[in-house]
């Protein structure tokens, strides 16, 4: 739906093809997608590994025989990958690091600031286990962090797919950490993951802008 609406907008209002907003697949797009996934997922898993455990690894043993468990696990992986990429990273990155960033491309600092703040603000309504208003605010460290990391990699690679990889990789890393690692304090993990990814993103973004890498 997002893809169709944005394509209609680009062709009728912007008078430009959708690929101008980054929706094109090139020879290295798969590489940049994989790079974004790896960097983002790795930072999430590393933070989980460093934070002190507050509980054991979740017991998600599946009922039924071995064949049923394998089939259910495969379907579950497909489901979570669909959530991470089809429902979340693809449409959201196309809107924010794609169209909106491209729309403000003549003023890169403003473009990065606006897209990052708006993207972060909409996550006030996200449901990530927050128990209070304060936690809803603290939760914003996550989208702020991977938003900055996404735009940093986008500037260096010139590819929207790097940003898609960062966004989806965040969710993949979180799924892996929750399923395979000891439980940690939720608020601490939000702040730590968001902080680490934000620092990496700021370093990449500032370095790219200083090297003259603009928004293509």
């Amino acid at each position: 739906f997002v893809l169709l609406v944005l394509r209609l907008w680009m062709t009728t209002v912007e008078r430009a093809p959708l690929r101008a907003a980054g929706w094109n697949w090139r020879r290295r797009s798969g590489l940049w997608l994989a790079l974004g996934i790896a960097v983002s997922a790795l930072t999430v898993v590393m933070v989980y590994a460093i934070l002190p455990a507050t509980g054991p690894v979740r017991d998600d043993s599946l009922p039924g025989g071995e064949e049923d468990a394998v089939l259910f696990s495969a379907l579950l992986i497909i489901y979570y990958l669909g959530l991470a990429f089809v429902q979340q990273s693809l449409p959201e990155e196309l809107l924010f690091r794609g169209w909106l960033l491209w729309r403000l491309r003549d003023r890169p600092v403003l473009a990065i600031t606006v897209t990052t703040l708006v993207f972060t603000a909409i996550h006030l309504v996200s449901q990530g286990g927050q128990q209070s208003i304060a936690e809803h605010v603290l939760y914003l460290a996550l989208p702020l962090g991977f938003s900055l990391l996404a735009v940093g990699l986008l500037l260096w690679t010139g590819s929207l797919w790097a940003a898609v990889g960062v966004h989806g990789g965040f969710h993949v890393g979180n799924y892996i950490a929750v399923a395979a690692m000891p439980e940690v304090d939720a608020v601490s993990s939000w702040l730590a993951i968001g902080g680490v990814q934000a620092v990496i993103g700021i370093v990449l973004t500032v370095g790219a802008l200083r090297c003259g890498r603009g928004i293509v």
Side-chain angles (χ1 to χ4, degrees), residues 110-124:
L110 176 65
I112 293 168
T113 302
V114 169
T115 54
T116 300
L117 292 181
V118 174
F119 177 81
T120 301
I122 65 172
H123 285 81
L124 275 171

Side-chain angles (χ1 to χ4, degrees), residues 1-201:
F1 176 76
V2 170
L3 181 62
L4 291 174
V5 170
L6 189 56
R7 181 176 183 179
L8 180 63
W9 175 273
M10 290 291 291
T11 55
T12 59
V13 179
E14 304 287 357
R15 301 293 183 182
L18 188 59
R19 65 176 179 272
W23 189 257
N24 57 347
W25 187 267
R26 297 181 177 178
R27 185 177 62 180
R28 293 187 177 181
S29 295
L31 174 63
W32 303 140
L33 176 67
L35 176 65
I37 294 172
V39 171
S40 189
L42 184 61
T43 54
V44 172
V45 172
M46 288 179 61
V47 169
Y48 263 84
I50 294 172
L51 290 176
T54 60
V57 178
R58 291 176 54 185
D59 182 11
D60 289 332
S61 55
L62 302 175
E66 183 177 344
E67 292 184 1
D68 292 339
V70 171
L71 176 60
F72 187 80
S73 297
L75 293 175
L76 203 60
I77 290 172
I78 294 172
Y79 169 73
Y80 279 123
L81 289 177
L83 286 180
F85 290 94
V86 180
Q87 182 179 337
Q88 297 184 74
S89 67
L90 277 169
E92 291 181 14
E93 293 307 313
L94 179 59
L95 279 174
F96 289 94
R97 252 70 62 184
W99 169 73
L100 187 55
L101 198 69
W102 168 83
R103 193 69 181 81
L104 302 171
R105 63 192 180 281
D106 293 334
R107 302 178 66 183
V109 175
L110 176 65
I112 293 168
T113 302
V114 169
T115 54
T116 300
L117 292 181
V118 174
F119 177 81
T120 301
I122 65 172
H123 285 81
L124 275 171
V125 297
S126 293
Q127 297 300 321
Q130 306 94 316
Q131 301 297 322
S132 64
I133 295 177
E135 288 190 0
H136 274 274
V137 175
L138 294 174
Y139 181 83
L140 296 181
L142 288 178
L144 176 63
F146 69 73
S147 177
L148 289 168
L149 179 57
V151 77
L153 277 183
L154 183 149
L155 291 175
W156 277 107
T157 63
S159 174
L160 176 66
W161 295 102
V164 172
V166 168
H167 193 150
F170 160 78
H171 293 293
V172 169
N174 192 58
Y175 297 151
I176 294 173
V178 170
M181 304 180 73
E183 184 178 352
V184 300
D185 178 68
V187 176
S188 298
S189 69
W190 301 340
L191 297 176
I193 294 169
V196 169
Q197 293 194 339
V199 169
I200 298 174

